[in-house]
Amino acid sequence: MTDSFVVNRRAVVAGLGALPLATAFGRPALAQGAADVPLGMVLPFSGATGSYGPAMKQAADLVVAKVNGAGGILGGRKVKLFIEDSETSATASVAASKKLLEVNKVELVGGFWGSPEALAAKPVILAANKVQMLSCAANAVTEGDTKGLIYRLQAKSSQWGPAGAKVMEKIGAKKVTVLAQQNPFIVAMVEPFKAEMAKIGGQVMDVVMYNPDQASYRAEVEKAFGPEPDAVFVLPLLTDMVSIAKEIFRGGFTSKVVSLGTGADAEGKFLQAVGPEVAEGIYHLQPSPPIDSPSYARFVKEMGAPEGTVFLFAGNAWDQVCITVLAMEHAKTQEAAVWTKSVREVCNPPGEKVDDVVKALKMIRDGKKINFNGAGCTCDFDEKGDSINRSFYVQLIKGGKNTPVGVVS
Amino acid sequence: MIAYLITITILVCVAALVGLALNLQWGLAGLVNFGVVGFVAIGAYAAALLAPEIGWLPAMAVSAALSAAFSAGLALLAIRLEENYLAIVTIGFGEVVRLVILNEPWLTNGALGIADIPRPFAALGDAVGGDAVFLVFAVALVALAFVTLEGMARSPFGRALRAIRDDATVTSALGKNVFALRVRAFAVGGAVMGIAGALHAYYLTYIDPGQFTPIVTAYAFMAVIAGGRGSNVGLLVGAGSIMALLEGTRFLKDFITVIDGVQLSALRLGLIGVGIVLLLILRPQGLAPEPRRRTSDVLPDRTTRS
Amino acid sequence: MAVQLFFNGLVTGLLIALPALALTLIFGVLKFANFAVGSMVTLGAYAAWVANVRLGLPLSASAAIAAVTVAAAGVASDQLVFERLRERGSISLLVASMGVSLIIENVCRFAFGNASRGFDVAPSRPIRWQGIRINQEQITTAAVVLVCLVLVDALLRFSPLGRAMRAVADNASLAAVRGVERRTVARLTWALVGALLGVAGVLSGLDRAIDPLIGWNYQIPIFAAAILGGLGSPLGAIAGALVIGVAEEMSALVIPTNYRQVVSFAVILALLLFRANGLFGAKAARR
């Protein structure tokens, strides 16, 4: 057994050693053909964050269809999108990413709603020299060596926290408590929030943490709202926010509630689940998509959502595909290590502003310098791949509707 | 494709180690352990925290020792319990471990997890070459565990455990120290689970509490049931076929697009449930059953009687 | 605040009382720990949701539909799975119930997705009484649970089914000799247990959001309650549920809330260590 194994292993290693050479020679020939350009995404469809995946998949599928319908990229080649379930699990995401990279030969592994999934898949994707695009918030993902291959379309945790404090200032809340789920996206917000509160002369009286998947949140709500603070900064995901909001309402608490779009909006799912009465008076913030632009309105319509829906993650998935095809067109290759250098070229100013991906592709072909603005953000990136110029859009739920309060940055 | 298969095989190795450990505890000794994931997590975190300090191999040894110590401790407290109670105590233990690693950031970095865990053999070559060497190491570990546990199963210790599983009262009457034997079985199983956890941490190079959910335990049970309780060969077959089933469904949706992602994931997990139930009903002896005759081949399962 | 938490704890306890009772009945009659209780609660919540939101029925009618649906699921799972394994010993049944749990949970996920849902019921502000806040759902929950408990108690005490269940629980083979057919008793027990779990699902859905993990999240408290009461003792299960509910909620006063979930486990462990047979009921040690 051992002998044959050694032989096998040698054969495998030799074969693998030859692989990069083969691909290096094979690529140009391939690029001239009409083969599809494979892209991949790892999205959550099951587990604790399973409710966020479907809209992202829908958006990505839509934009791929749009690009292909308009003649594809790189001289008529079609984009083919492969989507894997992250199972809200880092382990599953590694297997999924490997499958995308090695079997489907994707140039982009995008999606990544959750930070643990992104952190676990990061070494795998970087080792393959492909691009990783994120819709998650934990600072750690873009820290360390990113080889210039990582782009985050979401705001970082450390940006969310201070934004929350500014909302507190806006609504005149001085004494506040924090009620937060123990997860990597949220825990990184708490300290920056406290620091910013101190700066604006407020006081954080208590931080109440809870675990995902609890049977009830009665005791936690009691603890956070019991001391009657001016406002409570509630940092949830969707499922727990539905329970917590019910608890707050039934408890008859009077403190104001400032929450996150991840929980208290979730692209309209929150209101659907709790109804207008329970949701009344809850403030929530999220990194703002270009709400007023016609292209965003078009995006909402294409998603089949009611007018004015603020998409938080679906827009990220949409933009990930857009940025990738634009950068590929700009670099005139599907090779990730090459087109990653084009990402800032097509996304950051200066350049003619454009938000329609088909139009943008055409402009690139015409040799124009463009500045792409997406459906989820302006898509401008710093050298670490974090998106810059993030402002947060604050809404108040009133009469069963999200009503804009303003923008903080 | 090859690199993907290497990844899957390494994950199978981790699952196989966990399964082998559970097969000793539950298959051979009849001790149900629904807290498998807790011991794997302890091993993984010990390895992740210690590897940068003392090197990966010593850290792995500590993982095994620590996990074994926790196993022995839990066994000392709870092993005398009737199995329905042992089941819930162990499930609770697994939950407590998860809560502690989630809520003690000074030690475990909490929900953010531990990134950049040094991977053994990373220095040897590029990612693919490194993976291949890692695979050899993982397979070697499984082989080592297999040989050790198989040897144990054939030893007087293993025979005593099997006798206890089949009839504890008689074994006790024959002068065996049932309690001590059970604690030992639990501890050895814990050590192997700890090693599996360390291997998992080294391969992924990133761990977080979300990786250690009860589904890990469910897969381990499925592997043992599929392979046949008490059979180590069967366990390897079982662990391999479950991973093949799970990963195989990934390819399904590249071709079938009628169901959405949520439904597909529900289908995958539901199929695991169907698999457990069908195997229990149709092939209780497993795919590769324990070879030797035992009392329960002749008599109904008596482990529940006390 | 302590009084409020105590009160909240009683309500939480009542919520887990029905599943704990269900668990204990199955254990008493069929001698295995049914890990599918949680998923059956989930099924009940979704069945009621379909009736209430999709079909527009009032919640009471929806609860009845949930009870019937889960009862049918219980009987079906007995017929398809558990009956075939009955002679294999409790551990096979227990592992099989894990499998059944995965199946039911994922059938719900397949049909309804992961999004949180709520019943079409107008929420209400609390009534204030002696400084405690009491809300409408809590009153409903308490009333429903108490009625269910009285009915189950009467059933167990006075009906032929109750006598048969107790006979099988005491000694299945002896009961068989005396003409009590185990299979029928098992089926009826499953139907009863299913109905209880269905109602529990509705109450849980009323209390929080409905999602595929709603029942699973109650699993450990449910087991803790049933074990605390001594598996197999109906009265014990209810007492256990109240103790667990109060202990979990009140623990917020002394330990950080993020360790609240440990309370159930700590109670089980302490109890099993110092009093190996629960507050009531059977012996937990092997010898």
Side-chain angles (χ1 to χ4, degrees), chain A residues 368-389:
Chain A
K368 287 192 186 133
K369 169 77 184 84
I370 63 160
N371 170 14
F372 179 73
N373 284 349
C377 62
T378 57
C379 298
D380 299 329
F381 301 97
D382 66 13
E383 72 287 350
K384 293 302 280 183
D386 282 317
S387 60
I388 44 180
N389 307 326

Short mmCIF file of all heavy atoms in Angstrom, two decimals, chain A residues 368-389:
data_model
loop_
_atom_site.label_atom_id
_atom_site.label_comp_id
_atom_site.label_asym_id
_atom_site.label_seq_id
_atom_site.Cartn_x
_atom_site.Cartn_y
_atom_site.Cartn_z
N LYS A 368 -12.53 54.88 -23.58
CA LYS A 368 -12.75 55.99 -22.65
C LYS A 368 -12.33 55.61 -21.24
O LYS A 368 -12.38 54.44 -20.85
CB LYS A 368 -14.24 56.37 -22.63
CG LYS A 368 -14.67 57.08 -23.90
CD LYS A 368 -16.05 57.68 -23.71
CE LYS A 368 -16.55 58.27 -25.02
NZ LYS A 368 -17.91 57.89 -25.34
N LYS A 369 -11.93 56.61 -20.46
CA LYS A 369 -11.61 56.37 -19.04
C LYS A 369 -12.92 56.52 -18.26
O LYS A 369 -13.56 57.57 -18.30
CB LYS A 369 -10.57 57.41 -18.59
CG LYS A 369 -10.35 57.48 -17.10
CD LYS A 369 -9.48 56.33 -16.57
CE LYS A 369 -9.33 56.36 -15.05
NZ LYS A 369 -10.42 55.73 -14.31
N ILE A 370 -13.32 55.45 -17.56
CA ILE A 370 -14.60 55.52 -16.87
C ILE A 370 -14.44 55.46 -15.35
O ILE A 370 -13.40 55.06 -14.84
CB ILE A 370 -15.56 54.38 -17.29
CG1 ILE A 370 -14.98 53.01 -16.91
CG2 ILE A 370 -15.86 54.46 -18.77
CD1 ILE A 370 -16.02 51.93 -16.84
N ASN A 371 -15.48 55.89 -14.66
CA ASN A 371 -15.55 55.80 -13.20
C ASN A 371 -16.87 55.13 -12.88
O ASN A 371 -17.92 55.75 -12.86
CB ASN A 371 -15.48 57.23 -12.62
CG ASN A 371 -15.80 57.26 -11.13
OD1 ASN A 371 -15.81 56.22 -10.48
ND2 ASN A 371 -16.05 58.45 -10.62
N PHE A 372 -16.81 53.80 -12.67
CA PHE A 372 -18.04 53.03 -12.51
C PHE A 372 -18.65 53.24 -11.12
O PHE A 372 -17.96 53.19 -10.11
CB PHE A 372 -17.76 51.54 -12.73
CG PHE A 372 -18.97 50.69 -12.56
CD1 PHE A 372 -19.99 50.68 -13.50
CD2 PHE A 372 -19.12 49.89 -11.42
CE1 PHE A 372 -21.12 49.90 -13.33
CE2 PHE A 372 -20.26 49.11 -11.25
CZ PHE A 372 -21.26 49.12 -12.20
N ASN A 373 -19.93 53.50 -11.10
CA ASN A 373 -20.68 53.57 -9.85
C ASN A 373 -21.70 52.45 -9.83
O ASN A 373 -22.45 52.28 -10.78
CB ASN A 373 -21.41 54.92 -9.74
CG ASN A 373 -20.46 56.04 -9.37
OD1 ASN A 373 -19.31 55.78 -9.01
ND2 ASN A 373 -20.92 57.26 -9.49
N GLY A 374 -21.72 51.71 -8.73
CA GLY A 374 -22.53 50.50 -8.70
C GLY A 374 -23.90 50.68 -8.10
O GLY A 374 -24.34 51.78 -7.79
N ALA A 375 -24.55 49.52 -7.92
CA ALA A 375 -25.88 49.52 -7.33
C ALA A 375 -25.82 49.47 -5.81
O ALA A 375 -26.79 49.74 -5.12
CB ALA A 375 -26.68 48.34 -7.86
N GLY A 376 -24.65 49.09 -5.26
CA GLY A 376 -24.53 48.98 -3.81
C GLY A 376 -23.67 50.07 -3.21
O GLY A 376 -23.78 50.39 -2.05
N CYS A 377 -22.75 50.60 -4.01
CA CYS A 377 -21.87 51.64 -3.51
C CYS A 377 -21.23 52.33 -4.71
O CYS A 377 -21.47 51.95 -5.86
CB CYS A 377 -20.77 51.05 -2.61
SG CYS A 377 -19.69 49.90 -3.44
N THR A 378 -20.40 53.34 -4.44
CA THR A 378 -19.78 54.05 -5.55
C THR A 378 -18.63 53.23 -6.16
O THR A 378 -18.10 53.59 -7.19
CB THR A 378 -19.21 55.40 -5.09
OG1 THR A 378 -18.30 55.13 -4.02
CG2 THR A 378 -20.32 56.31 -4.59
N CYS A 379 -18.28 52.13 -5.49
CA CYS A 379 -17.21 51.27 -5.98
C CYS A 379 -15.90 52.02 -6.18
O CYS A 379 -15.32 51.98 -7.27
CB CYS A 379 -17.61 50.58 -7.29
SG CYS A 379 -19.03 49.51 -7.13
N ASP A 380 -15.46 52.70 -5.15
CA ASP A 380 -14.11 53.28 -5.17
C ASP A 380 -13.29 52.54 -4.11
O ASP A 380 -13.78 52.35 -3.00
CB ASP A 380 -14.15 54.77 -4.85
CG ASP A 380 -14.99 55.53 -5.87
OD1 ASP A 380 -15.02 55.10 -7.04
OD2 ASP A 380 -15.63 56.53 -5.49
N PHE A 381 -12.07 52.15 -4.47
CA PHE A 381 -11.31 51.31 -3.55
C PHE A 381 -9.97 51.94 -3.18
O PHE A 381 -9.32 52.56 -4.02
CB PHE A 381 -11.06 49.94 -4.17
CG PHE A 381 -12.32 49.21 -4.53
CD1 PHE A 381 -12.81 49.25 -5.82
CD2 PHE A 381 -13.03 48.52 -3.56
CE1 PHE A 381 -13.98 48.59 -6.15
CE2 PHE A 381 -14.21 47.88 -3.88
CZ PHE A 381 -14.70 47.91 -5.18
N ASP A 382 -9.57 51.74 -1.90
CA ASP A 382 -8.23 52.16 -1.51
C ASP A 382 -7.24 51.04 -1.85
O ASP A 382 -7.62 50.00 -2.40
CB ASP A 382 -8.18 52.57 -0.04
CG ASP A 382 -8.42 51.41 0.90
OD1 ASP A 382 -8.38 50.24 0.45
OD2 ASP A 382 -8.66 51.65 2.10
N GLU A 383 -5.97 51.25 -1.48
CA GLU A 383 -4.96 50.28 -1.94
C GLU A 383 -5.08 48.91 -1.26
O GLU A 383 -4.60 47.92 -1.78
CB GLU A 383 -3.54 50.87 -1.79
CG GLU A 383 -3.01 51.00 -0.40
CD GLU A 383 -3.68 52.12 0.40
OE1 GLU A 383 -4.44 52.95 -0.17
OE2 GLU A 383 -3.45 52.17 1.62
N LYS A 384 -5.79 48.85 -0.11
CA LYS A 384 -6.02 47.56 0.53
C LYS A 384 -7.25 46.85 -0.05
O LYS A 384 -7.56 45.72 0.33
CB LYS A 384 -6.23 47.73 2.04
CG LYS A 384 -5.01 48.19 2.82
CD LYS A 384 -3.84 47.26 2.66
CE LYS A 384 -3.94 46.05 3.56
NZ LYS A 384 -2.73 45.20 3.43
N GLY A 385 -7.98 47.55 -0.91
CA GLY A 385 -9.18 46.94 -1.47
C GLY A 385 -10.44 47.27 -0.70
O GLY A 385 -11.51 46.76 -1.02
N ASP A 386 -10.32 48.11 0.34
CA ASP A 386 -11.52 48.53 1.05
C ASP A 386 -12.20 49.64 0.28
O ASP A 386 -11.55 50.49 -0.32
CB ASP A 386 -11.15 49.04 2.45
CG ASP A 386 -10.88 47.90 3.41
OD1 ASP A 386 -11.65 46.93 3.37
OD2 ASP A 386 -9.90 47.98 4.18
N SER A 387 -13.52 49.65 0.33
CA SER A 387 -14.20 50.69 -0.42
C SER A 387 -14.16 51.99 0.38
O SER A 387 -14.32 51.99 1.61
CB SER A 387 -15.62 50.29 -0.77
OG SER A 387 -16.36 50.04 0.38
N ILE A 388 -13.92 53.08 -0.32
CA ILE A 388 -13.80 54.37 0.36
C ILE A 388 -15.04 55.22 0.09
O ILE A 388 -15.92 54.81 -0.67
CB ILE A 388 -12.51 55.12 -0.08
CG1 ILE A 388 -12.34 55.02 -1.60
CG2 ILE A 388 -11.31 54.57 0.63
CD1 ILE A 388 -11.11 55.72 -2.11
N ASN A 389 -15.07 56.36 0.71
CA ASN A 389 -16.21 57.26 0.57
C ASN A 389 -17.51 56.59 1.02
O ASN A 389 -18.54 56.74 0.38
CB ASN A 389 -16.40 57.75 -0.86
CG ASN A 389 -15.12 58.36 -1.41
OD1 ASN A 389 -14.37 58.98 -0.66
ND2 ASN A 389 -14.87 58.17 -2.69
#
